Amino acid sequence: MELASKYSPADVEEKWYRYWMSHELFSSKPDDREPYTIVIPPPNVTGVLHMGHMLNNTIQDILIRRARMEGKNACWVPGTDHASIATEAKVVNKLAEQGIKKTDLTREEFLRHAWDWTHEHGGIILKQLRRLGASCDWNRTAFTMDEIRSQSVLKVFNDLHEKGLIYRGVRMVNWDPKALTAVSDEEVIYKEEHGKLYYLRYKVEGEDTYAVVATTRPETIMGDVAMCINPNDPKNQRLKGKKVVVPLVNRVIPVIEDDYVDIEFGTGCLKVTPAHDVNDYMLGEKYNLPVIDIFNDNGTISEAGELYIGMDRFDVRKQIVVDLVAAGLMEKEESYTNKVGYSERTHVVIEPKLSMQWFLRMEHLAEIALKPVMDDELKFYPPKYKNTYHHWMENIKDWNISRQLWWGHRIPAWYLPEGGYVVAMNEREALDKAKAKTDNPNLTLNDIRQDEDCLDTWFSSWLWPISLFNGILDSGNEEMKYYYPTSDLVTGPDIIFFWVARMIMAGYEYENDMPFRNVYFTGIVRDKLGRKMSKSLGNSPDPLELIDRYGADGVRMGMMLSAPAGNDILFDDALCEQGRNFNNKIWNAFRLIKGWKTDDDAELPATANVAVNWFESMQNKVALEIADLFGKYRLSEALMAIYKLFWDEFSSWYLEIIKPAYGKGIHRTVYGATICFFDNLLKLLHPFMPFITEELWQQMYPREEGESITVQFLGMDTHVDEELLSKFDTAKEVISNIRTIRLQKNVAQKESLELQIVGQNPVAEFSPVITKMCNLSGINVVETKSEGAASFMIGTTEYAVPLNNMIDIGVEIIRLEAELKHKEGFLQGVLKKLGNEKFVSNAPAAVLEMERKKQADAESIINSLKENIAALRKG
């Protein structure tokens, strides 16, 4: 097959992905191999690919491809999340465009629209992941609302309720007035805001005096049921036992006393609104105060508020300030900075609200999930997130698991005609339980009513590693025994509470084992200025456009070059360009090699054995380093190690050493070794750059249908000749210095040079390589170098290149004097350290030996430089 002159990702990527799929190379079934399992963090079913997905799934694909090539049974399970709040909001918006309100529909009618929307838009993101090269077992694709996952959720709810861990009660919750649902504490984002502190005047009943209250929320005074002072506050002693009148509302409320009140805040008087503040709610419970809920679910004022009925809460804030000033009941206003909670999903201000909700007790679950992480049985990478995890677990609150939505898993609780409820897997079982509980065999389905709420989306995804293998419904099945616990989880630290911690809880509760052995936390993808990527800033590139421009391999490499584990990623298109350039480097190197003709009669060059032995050791050494870096999840460094091995060592050194002269053939042995090296390099690169490596691997030899680099074994010799590598490094340094002399002295490559080595030759075995790479006429060991020769030191050995009349002596003297000055300064630093008695007496022997060697080397180089300068001046 003719190899194109340029690498074209568009011609390669779709072809090979189709090939991988048609031959089911990503498919996994239990067998006798070691399993390696990853479950995908399920993206929203109606979502599209963004840069965070690109990073996360690139990392997962690198890990899964590497495991597959290590001979493991690699299983990467894909799927999507039903995303209750986000999906329901999209469906509501779509219906609104058609002039349809959710409130005009029955639950069943709305769900038909939601399923239609899901079928139309769902799964797009999974198709987009194919463009990236994601090697998931697509036959296993799951959805958090498919039959197995839904039944799993219902079974777990029933089980936890039976254990007494799920309960129902009225609690203060975080209410989202836009989504019209409660959200958990973890779904509230606090932002610092510059607002106002309003000082309101409450008339003391029966007196012509006022008590002043400072509040940031004057719109809630319609819900005030008490004023609270600290009994130890000297400035408010006059209010003890009194009553005050709520401004504008004219409701008379008692003054109560509690140590909770901060004497230093405002005036020391606190308005108590139990329905709309968490702390006020606790005071209300303590003192048995009435509760007045003044807000409708959408954040407008209810009839219970008596004033401003139907107005939005923030419009009321503006108006009530005007009205209080007009009534002479506003003492003053002050600028004030405080933190305001926003809904993570809808970005509106959260309203504390009393609501009947379902909760999951977390104390037991947190206890069983904390120790394995803190003891490193389940490892976090980077480990700094253990502290975050520990803090949350130690301060955990019960999980509000109900949501006032229709799209999701409906709570499996049915209410009885005379009060109370039953929890069941389905309505038939619920009816049987209802009959037994009420002792009424004549009850029908029409007599019981299922709870209208849905479960929090995370209540299904916390079971993900278990439910994907049907472990909830069929515990101990063959796949659970084989694939569970899974190997690695790749996710962002922003969902460590929402998802990671809860999966660990579920794992130990239902399998008595961890859900995964390792968690790799990615960073947040930011732009090159460090800003978080967002549509509003216009700094978030379309991942598919990047793939079109740079190719999937180029983008994958660009992402990984900027992705150290756990640290934020400063993404720059230039990194993708670097990735594309590397693709071209690989492509051109292969074209160069394939362009050589083997010649059975060609003489085996003296350089060949040296080069082959050296690169074999170098490749083995880097392969071992890469394996170690993978074990530490330092994937960015692993990629850089392969990059340098290919670009620097293989292309710039090895190929240049073995390259046949123009018009000449290459010895078959050398060619075979080179192809073998290239094959190994492609295998090392494949997890990072799957498409170009498959294309070139297929081009190396005629392949059978179904063969693929994807399933090739990544096995290399572990032998590393460190002495050879060290000596070759010296030879490379010699070559680099001679090339520098050519450049500095402007000596053309075609002009052959002589190399003189003073004393003895430490690189004699590499003489053929040095001669070829530097175009030398000879390498001679001398006692004294030629006068006027340009020289350099490597260690304590002096090398010289006679230049005769090729150099400007004045310029060379200036250069040598500058180098001499630098070395003398360096020597003074070493001597100062060795002259410090404290250092000498406390430093380890190895450190002292190293410093003394530095002194000896510097003195030797200084003597040589002085001799060179003197010789040039004499000449």
Side-chain angles (χ1 to χ4, degrees):
M1 190 188 300
E2 184 66 29
L3 196 64
S5 60
K6 288 185 178 179
Y7 177 57
S8 171
D11 297 337
V12 167
E13 292 172 359
E14 186 182 350
K15 173 182 72 175
W16 289 119
Y17 204 91
R18 197 167 55 243
Y19 179 86
W20 294 331
M21 291 291 289
S22 65
H23 292 287
E24 297 188 335
L25 296 174
F26 308 149
S27 178
S28 174
K29 292 181 176 58
D31 58 25
D32 58 357
R33 290 176 294 167
E34 177 188 347
Y36 177 86
T37 317
I38 293 180
V39 296
I40 201 170
N44 289 0
V45 65
T46 58
V48 293
L49 203 62
H50 58 60
M51 294 304 287
H53 293 132
M54 289 282 281
L55 172 67
N56 186 285
N57 287 282
T58 294
I59 291 169
Q60 289 176 82
D61 194 48
I62 289 167
L63 292 171
I64 209 82
R65 286 182 182 272
R66 171 90 181 183
R68 195 178 285 124
M69 296 181 78
E70 288 173 341
K72 296 172 185 173
N73 188 347
C75 180
W76 183 12
V77 187
T80 50
D81 188 280
H82 63 278
S84 291
I85 295 177
T87 303
E88 182 150 326
K90 287 181 179 179
V91 175
V92 168
N93 291 338
K94 183 193 175 192
L95 291 172
E97 290 170 5
Q98 301 170 9
I100 303 171
K101 293 181 180 178
K102 178 186 173 185
T103 51
D104 296 336
L105 301 174
T106 66
R107 187 188 194 103
E108 289 67 29
E109 287 170 337
F110 178 81
L111 288 176
R112 276 199 295 274
H113 285 286
W115 277 110
D116 287 345
W117 172 269
T118 300
H119 291 141
E120 182 182 349
H121 298 279
I124 290 173
I125 191 167
L126 298 184
K127 292 184 176 69
Q128 292 175 328
L129 285 176
R130 290 165 164 81
R131 289 285 313 275
L132 184 65
S135 58
C136 302
D137 184 348
W138 298 107
N139 296 323
R140 292 180 175 272
T141 303
F143 177 44
T144 51
M145 276 180 62
D146 64 24
E147 184 64 20
I148 290 177
R149 265 47 67 177
S150 294
Q151 289 300 307
S152 298
V153 166
L154 298 181
K155 184 175 180 181
V156 165
F157 186 97
N158 274 259
D159 175 68
L160 293 173
H161 182 267
E162 195 172 314
K163 291 173 178 173
L165 294 177
I166 285 179
Y167 64 94
R168 185 170 181 260
V170 175
R171 297 287 187 277
M172 181 69 71
V173 298
N174 305 300
W175 186 262
D176 183 331
K178 184 174 181 181
L180 301 179
T181 181
V183 296
S184 68
D185 291 344
E186 290 73 40
E187 292 167 291
V188 179
I189 307 298
Y190 287 91
K191 301 178 183 177
E192 198 169 81
E193 290 196 347
H194 302 294
K196 292 285 182 70
L197 193 59
Y198 302 93
Y199 288 77
L200 313 185
R201 304 174 75 189
Y202 288 63
K203 190 176 188 305
V204 180
E205 188 184 40
E207 299 180 12
D208 197 20
T209 60
Y210 291 90
V212 178
V213 170
T215 179
T216 58
R217 303 196 65 197
E219 69 275 14
T220 62
I221 62 172
M222 289 88 78
D224 286 0
V225 296
M227 177 182 286
C228 191
I229 61 171
N230 191 310
N232 304 309
D233 184 359
K235 65 181 179 294
N236 285 316
Q237 293 296 311
R238 67 185 181 90
L239 297 174
K240 286 188 174 185
K242 302 285 180 71
K243 293 183 179 180
V244 294
V245 181
V246 179
L248 301 181
V249 181
N250 295 323
R251 180 185 306 125
V252 177
I253 58 175
V255 176
I256 62 174
E257 301 172 40
D258 197 278
D259 291 339
Y260 163 74
V261 178
D262 182 358
I263 296 172
E264 302 301 323
F265 178 77
T267 62
C269 296
L270 176 76
K271 62 191 279 308
V272 182
T273 318
H276 302 296
D277 182 273
V278 175
N279 298 311
D280 289 8
Y281 173 68
M282 290 189 288
L283 282 173
E285 289 271 282
K286 186 174 180 179
Y287 294 99
N288 199 26
L289 298 172
V291 174
I292 304 173
D293 186 349
I294 68 166
F295 288 124
N296 294 313
D297 287 350
N298 63 359
T300 58
I301 303 297
S302 68
E303 291 190 4
E306 300 181 22
L307 306 175
Y308 312 105
I309 296 168
M311 285 180 66
D312 180 77
R313 53 188 172 152
F314 293 114
D315 293 334
V316 173
R317 182 178 297 178
K318 293 173 187 173
Q319 186 59 48
I320 204 168
V321 167
V322 173
D323 294 345
L324 285 165
V325 170
L329 298 172
M330 178 72 75
E331 181 88 4
K332 62 178 178 177
E333 297 176 27
E334 288 179 350
S335 295
Y336 185 70
T337 300
N338 67 332
K339 289 190 174 180
V340 178
Y342 281 78
S343 167
E344 184 201 34
R345 291 290 182 188
T346 61
H347 311 294
V348 300
V349 174
I350 286 294
E351 193 62 56
K353 182 179 174 66
L354 278 176
S355 179
M356 178 67 80
Q357 301 285 340
W358 292 88
F359 295 88
L360 174 59
R361 301 184 200 278
M362 298 296 279
E363 188 177 353
H364 156 70
L365 294 168
E367 186 180 335
I368 60 175
L370 179 59
K371 191 174 185 294
V373 173
M374 301 317 295
D375 290 349
D376 284 331
E377 293 169 30
L378 190 165
K379 292 184 171 64
F380 280 6
Y381 295 89
K384 65 181 180 181
Y385 289 111
K386 285 171 59 179
N387 294 331
T388 310
Y389 182 84
H390 181 268
H391 178 75
W392 187 70
M393 287 294 203
E394 291 282 282
N395 298 277
I396 202 160
K397 296 178 183 176
D398 287 357
W399 177 9
N400 173 9
I401 57 174
S402 49
R403 298 291 179 269
Q404 289 61 58
L405 301 166
W406 282 349
W407 174 246
H409 299 102
R410 191 171 181 178
I411 289 177
W414 282 260
Y415 298 103
L416 307 176
E418 304 298 324
Y421 64 87
V422 294
V423 170
M425 286 294 293
N426 51 56
E427 60 181 15
R428 177 54 55 191
E429 182 182 303
L431 182 58
D432 291 341
K433 286 186 174 182
K435 287 176 180 178
K437 189 166 185 175
T438 59
D439 197 22
N440 182 356
N442 298 319
L443 277 183
T444 68
L445 287 174
N446 291 329
D447 297 320
I448 61 176
R449 173 181 57 85
Q450 188 175 357
D451 195 302
E452 290 291 320
D453 290 352
C454 278
L455 286 161
D456 180 7
T457 298
W458 297 104
F459 196 83
S460 54
S461 48
W462 80 316
L463 306 174
W464 193 241
I466 306 173
S467 65
L468 283 176
F469 302 107
N470 202 18
I472 297 295
L473 303 180
D474 184 14
S475 182
N477 69 67
E478 182 193 9
E479 293 218 325
M480 276 298 292
K481 288 177 182 175
Y482 185 74
Y483 291 116
Y484 189 94
T486 66
S487 305
D488 295 328
L489 177 74
V490 180
T491 189
D494 52 329
I495 55 174
I496 190 171
F497 311 130
F498 291 130
W499 195 43
V500 178
R502 290 168 179 167
M503 281 191 290
I504 296 170
M505 293 173 184
Y508 282 99
E509 180 67 15
Y510 287 101
E511 291 297 321
N512 196 30
D513 202 352
M514 63 188 76
F516 25 74
R517 294 183 175 86
N518 306 288
V519 183
Y520 176 107
F521 289 108
T522 67
I524 295 170
V525 183
R526 300 183 182 275
D527 66 15
K528 58 186 176 184
L529 300 177
R531 300 174 302 176
K532 192 171 181 178
M533 289 188 169
S534 69
K535 288 181 181 177
S536 58
L537 286 174
N539 64 345
S540 182
D542 181 337
L544 298 181
E545 287 181 7
L546 287 174
I547 290 174
D548 289 339
R549 200 180 321 151
Y550 300 108
D553 289 338
V555 176
R556 287 167 67 113
M557 183 172 175
M559 294 293 295
M560 292 312 300
L561 285 177
S562 57
N567 295 326
D568 287 353
I569 287 85
L570 299 182
F571 181 78
D572 189 343
D573 284 16
L575 293 168
C576 295
E577 192 171 346
Q578 185 178 347
R580 182 179 62 188
N581 293 343
F582 188 44
N583 273 304
N584 293 332
K585 182 77 171 179
I586 298 166
W587 189 263
N588 290 334
F590 187 71
R591 288 186 70 237
L592 174 69
I593 295 166
K594 293 299 278 186
W596 293 338
K597 303 294 183 192
T598 55
D599 184 353
D600 291 338
D601 298 325
E603 186 178 340
L604 184 63
T607 55
N609 278 338
V610 173
V612 168
N613 291 337
W614 162 72
F615 190 76
E616 184 176 16
S617 263
M618 174 58 71
Q619 184 176 258
N620 293 345
K621 181 180 182 180
V622 174
L624 290 170
E625 288 173 5
I626 291 165
D628 180 62
L629 290 167
F630 262 90
K632 297 170 181 172
Y633 297 86
R634 286 156 58 179
L635 306 188
S636 180
E637 293 173 53
L639 173 58
M640 186 52 69
I642 304 171
Y643 176 85
K644 289 178 177 177
L645 176 66
F646 192 98
W647 194 294
D648 297 341
E649 311 298 352
F650 184 70
S651 297
S652 298
W653 287 102
Y654 177 77
L655 291 184
E656 288 300 314
I657 294 169
I658 63 143
K659 184 167 66 176
Y662 181 75
K664 301 287 186 180
I666 187 169
H667 195 280
R668 187 175 298 278
T669 302
V670 181
Y671 184 79
T674 304
I675 289 292
C676 181
F677 292 151
F678 201 90
D679 180 74
N680 287 336
L681 288 167
L682 290 180
K683 288 175 183 174
L684 288 171
L685 280 165
H686 178 74
F688 296 92
M689 309 174 79
F691 291 108
I692 190 171
T693 50
E694 183 72 78
E695 174 72 11
L696 295 180
W697 187 85
Q698 295 283 349
Q699 295 269 6
M700 289 178 73
Y701 300 107
R703 305 289 186 187
E704 296 291 329
E705 181 65 23
E707 282 191 291
S708 170
I709 192 173
T710 301
V711 289
Q712 294 302 303
F713 183 62
L714 186 63
M716 283 187 216
D717 194 338
T718 56
H719 172 70
V720 178
D721 187 336
E722 291 288 357
E723 185 181 358
L724 173 63
L725 293 178
S726 177
K727 287 181 177 178
F728 197 86
D729 280 344
T730 303
K732 284 160 69 176
E733 206 173 337
V734 170
I735 293 165
S736 296
N737 273 283
I738 296 170
R739 286 173 170 175
T740 299
I741 289 170
R742 278 191 184 275
L743 191 65
Q744 289 176 344
K745 314 305 182 190
N746 201 22
V747 179
Q749 180 63 26
K750 64 180 180 181
E751 297 279 350
S752 62
L753 298 171
E754 176 198 357
L755 175 65
Q756 295 177 344
I757 305 176
V758 180
Q760 58 182 10
N761 184 0
V763 289
E765 62 191 288
F766 304 108
S767 292
V769 171
I770 298 169
T771 299
K772 177 180 180 179
M773 298 292 278
C774 297
N775 186 19
L776 300 180
S777 57
I779 299 176
N780 300 306
V781 176
V782 297
E783 288 190 16
T784 308
K785 65 182 182 232
S786 300
E787 287 189 11
S791 66
F792 54 89
M793 300 288 293
I794 297 176
T796 56
T797 302
E798 184 176 14
Y799 300 81
V801 178
L803 294 170
N804 302 323
N805 299 320
M806 294 181 185
I807 63 168
D808 183 324
I809 291 175
V811 172
E812 182 65 6
I813 288 173
I814 291 170
R815 185 186 72 79
L816 291 173
E817 284 178 336
E819 189 177 345
L820 176 63
K821 185 177 180 182
H822 169 74
K823 285 295 179 186
E824 285 175 337
F826 174 79
L827 177 60
Q828 287 307 309
V830 174
L831 291 173
K832 186 176 180 182
K833 195 179 285 187
L834 290 172
N836 184 327
E837 287 185 18
K838 190 174 180 182
F839 170 78
V840 173
S841 58
N842 292 323
V847 173
L848 281 175
E849 183 61 31
M850 187 181 296
E851 291 301 317
R852 289 181 180 125
K853 185 176 185 307
K854 285 180 185 177
Q855 176 189 352
D857 288 351
E859 287 170 346
S860 174
I861 291 169
I862 287 168
N863 289 335
S864 177
L865 287 168
K866 286 178 177 177
E867 287 174 10
N868 288 341
I869 293 167
L872 285 171
R873 283 185 172 143
K874 184 180 177 183

